[in-house]
Structure formats: structure tokens, C-alpha cells
Amino acid sequence: MARVYNFSAGPSALPESVLAKAASEMLDYEGSGQSVMEMSHRSKVYQSIIDGAEALLREVMQIPDNYKVLFLQGGASSQFAMVPMNLMTGSGKADYVITGQWAKKAYKEAARYGQANVVASSEDKTFSYIPKLDPATFTPDADYFHICMNNTIYGTVYNELPETGDVPLVADISSCVLSKPIDVSKFGVLYAGAQKNMAPAGVTVVIIREDLIGKAMDITPTMFNYQTHADNGSMFNTPPCYTIYMMKLVLEWLRDEIGGLQNMQAINEKKAALLYDYLDNSKLFRGTVVPEDRSLMNIPFVTGNDELDAKFVKEAAAAGFVNLKGHRSVGGMRASIYNAMPLEGVEALVAFMKQFEQENA
Ligand SMILES: *Cc1c(COP(=O)(O)O)cnc(C)c1O
């Protein structure tokens, strides 16, 4: 068996020990005689899996007691509608910062349900930076303020949160969740699709302050109302059972093998520094993001020559470094180095890039 180094932006690599554990439990989960895929979600044994996943997430992320954790479906993209339908019911206004395609999609969806304001955008420079925010331009009576924390396609991240005062901060953390500690109490709502850093695709995690639940618009479909899922322990209908089980295994790996989010951050910083240092010193490759807003998770880079970029992607894939092609909207390359990418994977990639640079200088 030969496994590649997978730099996919999502779905992305999972820790090998997690995959091995899942394989070992595939036919018989803890003496139940069934696969987790096959069991009733109403069974005692499955209840212990979903409860365990929530408890682990609360422990690892240190989620305060006044927040609900919901396991939903529909991806982060469904949250683009769920957030306004549930929260845009006071003044009917919300502020959005446009830092990439996901942020823009979230804004466009919100504009269908209320007055969505763009307070800043970095589209003028292909989203290669996080705009400086001036609280004087924020809507004082907004129902919430939305950001996309880590911009998966462009490789930018907020290192400082907007000062929104009493206006709840809502953040899409799909591509940075679990990459380092985050102070949940600074947010009204956090949401993330699983397939970047938590599990296979299929579950969307929503972490929501309790007082923000129960204010949905009348038109909100039952399945889109946070209250529905909060009242039913994410079991109003069949949850994405197997994916939640996989998330539990990933969280066990994160806590027991990595040693928690502080350690994860140190490892992620080391990995990212290795690649950024090389890019900053290379005569062939360069990063596309301003240094102060660089993501730990998604690192786009280019040679400046489309043909050479294509050659690099092709030769890298042949050498076992797959999914390095940049997003179709920006071109070039992108190395997504989520939690499950080991340090050796980044070391090997940098060594390969150095060799390519020598051969193509
Ligand atoms: C991948 C991604 C999404 C889309 O997630 P889906 O689960 O496919 O809907 C949204 N936001 C960010 C930041 C992402 O990285």
C-alpha cells in the first residue's frame, strides 16, 4: 500500500491512525456485532457515540456551557441561509466582510432575507489580504456581524477579530476549526463543515450561544431552525451517523495523540513556517498573500508562469504530492496543510520544490 501526501483543500487527508481504527471497527463496533454505518441512531450504543463526540468537542475547544453544539447537514453552505433566517430578526440588518468566495456567498444569501451590508472587501487585490476594519463603519444595531475566518481559496486568515461590541460575531471556521485554540466566548455563532479539519464530508458543526436560539423567521423551514436541533440533541431526524463517529475518532486523536489544540497549533505553525520560509527565499516560487494575513492551513503560491505552474503540479503528483493545483478561480498552486498533514509531508514537499527550482531555474 502506498499512500500519497494529499494537499487537497477539502475533502482532505485524515490522520492515518484514525482511518486504521475505523477500519478495525468496521464490521463490529465494540462488540455490537454491527458497523456504526448500520446501527439505529436511536440505539444506546449510537447515543454514546454522538454524546462522546459532543463531549470531546467541548473539551478540546473549551466550549462554554451557555453554548449549544449542533451536528447538522447541508454543509457550511447551508449556514449561509440558516444564519440570517435565525438571527436577522431584530433590526433585520447584518454586516459582512467580503474576504473571498465563501464570504461573498454568505453575504449574497443573507441579502435575500434582510439588509446585508458590506463593511469591507479585499476583492480589489484578489482577496490576498484581510481588510483593515473601522468599527465606525459597522452597523450599530445589526443583528450580527459575519466573517469568514480562514479563506480557504485565497489563504488568508484573521489574526485579530473585529470589535463588534454587543453585536454577535458569526464566523465561518470551516477551514481553520481545530487548528489552534479559539476563544468561543467572543462569538455568537461558529460554524464549520467537517471535511477540512474534522471528519469526512457530511456533518456541519454549529456552536451557538443559547440566547441566539429561538428567534427564527416564521418562514424558516423546520429543518433550518436552530431551535429544532437544539431541542432534540441533533436527533430531530437521522444525523450523519458515521461522519459523527469519524469526528469522534479525530477528536480522540487530537486530544490523546497530539495533546490538544495548543500542541496542534505549535505543529501547524512549524509546518506553515517551513513552507513560507522557503517561498520567501525561493527565486522561482512566491506566496500570494501579504505576510501579516497568511493562513496556517491553506498556502497558495505561484511561479508567475502558467506553463511552469502546470508542469510543477504534474511532476509533483507523479512524485506523490497530490492536489496541489490552485483553486480554478485563482490558478497557480495551493498546499492545504490541515491538521492531518504530518510535518514530514511538508518537509518532503519543500525538498521536492527545491529540486524543481534547481531543475527549472
Ligand atoms: C469548504 C468551505 C465552505 C463550503 O463548505 P460546504 O460544506 O461544501 O458547504 C464554506 N466556507 C469555507 C470557509 C470553506 O472552506
Side-chain angles (χ1 to χ4, degrees):
M1 181 190 65
R3 282 183 52 85
V4 293
Y5 285 122
N6 178 8
F7 295 90
S8 170
S12 37
L14 286 161
E16 220 166 274
S17 63
V18 165
L19 295 173
K21 174 112 199 252
S24 77
E25 293 181 332
M26 183 57 75
L27 297 184
D28 178 9
Y29 176 77
E30 292 192 352
S32 67
Q34 311 154 61
S35 169
V36 176
M37 286 187 192
E38 304 171 299
M39 54 183 58
S40 165
H41 62 293
R42 305 284 177 204
S43 63
K44 256 202 184 121
V45 56
Y46 189 74
Q47 190 66 48
S48 76
I49 293 174
I50 192 169
D51 290 347
E54 177 176 342
L56 270 161
L57 190 70
R58 286 185 175 279
E59 179 185 342
V60 168
M61 288 186 72
Q62 297 192 12
I63 300 171
D65 288 343
N66 62 326
Y67 285 74
K68 289 276 192 220
V69 172
L70 310 177
F71 297 129
L72 309 181
Q73 301 191 61
S77 300
S78 289
Q79 294 310 307
F80 299 165
M82 254 178 115
V83 166
M85 285 185 141
N86 282 269
L87 303 188
M88 231 179 186
T89 53
S91 65
K93 299 177 207 167
D95 284 346
Y96 279 75
V97 184
I98 311 295
T99 49
Q101 284 194 16
W102 298 121
K104 198 181 209 173
K105 281 187 176 158
Y107 158 73
K108 281 193 173 160
E109 195 68 19
R112 305 179 63 203
Y113 300 104
Q115 188 185 321
N117 305 309
V118 175
V119 296
S121 166
S122 52
E123 193 161 14
D124 59 335
K125 290 184 182 159
T126 329
F127 301 117
S128 57
Y129 67 103
I130 299 289
K132 296 278 172 285
L133 298 174
D134 174 6
T137 63
F138 299 176
T139 307
D141 62 340
D143 290 324
Y144 63 91
F145 189 107
H146 182 280
I147 60 170
C148 180
M149 185 94 94
N150 184 82
N151 296 278
T152 323
I153 297 172
Y154 306 92
T156 60
V157 70
Y158 283 81
N159 287 310
E160 226 177 289
L161 294 177
E163 292 288 344
T164 62
D166 290 338
V167 174
L169 185 58
V170 176
D172 178 353
I173 55 168
S174 294
S175 52
C176 58
V177 62
L178 302 178
S179 64
K180 62 180 197 175
I182 180 171
D183 183 352
V184 174
S185 73
K186 292 219 154 73
F187 298 86
V189 181
L190 290 166
Y191 64 88
Q195 68 272 24
K196 317 287 165 63
N197 233 356
M198 289 195 287
V203 67
T204 308
V205 170
V206 174
I207 301 166
I208 178 167
R209 216 175 61 208
E210 277 169 356
D211 62 288
L212 297 172
I213 298 173
K215 303 176 173 186
M217 297 175 182
D218 289 339
I219 59 158
T220 306
T222 306
M223 278 295 289
F224 263 41
N225 193 324
Y226 290 131
Q227 180 106 54
T228 303
H229 303 285
D231 287 352
N232 291 281
S234 299
M235 290 266 212
F236 174 75
N237 70 326
T238 318
C241 301
Y242 195 76
T243 313
I244 292 169
Y245 155 76
M246 286 297 290
M247 192 172 92
K248 178 169 176 281
L249 296 187
V250 169
L251 288 162
E252 282 167 357
W253 167 82
L254 197 43
R255 184 189 63 183
D256 302 333
E257 283 184 55
I258 298 295
L261 289 186
Q262 227 112 32
N263 287 5
M264 194 72 252
Q265 175 174 13
I267 295 168
N268 284 331
E269 284 175 349
K270 198 167 171 189
K271 287 176 345 195
L274 202 66
L275 191 45
Y276 283 125
D277 284 351
Y278 168 64
L279 290 172
D280 287 344
N281 291 298
S282 169
K283 293 197 171 62
L284 184 66
F285 299 103
R286 66 178 169 81
T288 56
V289 170
V290 299
E292 64 271 25
D293 300 327
R294 285 169 164 179
S295 167
L296 283 183
M297 297 281 100
N298 311 98
I299 305 188
F301 56 95
V302 295
T303 64
N305 174 331
D306 289 349
E307 270 170 42
L308 208 50
D309 285 353
K311 184 173 183 230
F312 174 78
V313 169
K314 198 171 157 210
E315 289 185 12
F321 305 97
V322 305
N323 292 316
L324 280 166
K325 196 168 169 358
H327 189 269
R328 58 188 185 278
S329 65
V330 285
M333 282 73 72
R334 171 180 47 172
S336 294
I337 52 171
Y338 297 116
N339 289 355
M341 173 59 62
L343 178 63
E344 306 87 74
V346 181
E347 285 170 346
L349 174 66
V350 169
F352 178 81
M353 290 170 76
K354 281 182 180 163
Q355 190 193 326
F356 185 89
E357 178 169 355
Q358 265 180 2
E359 291 168 3
N360 293 274

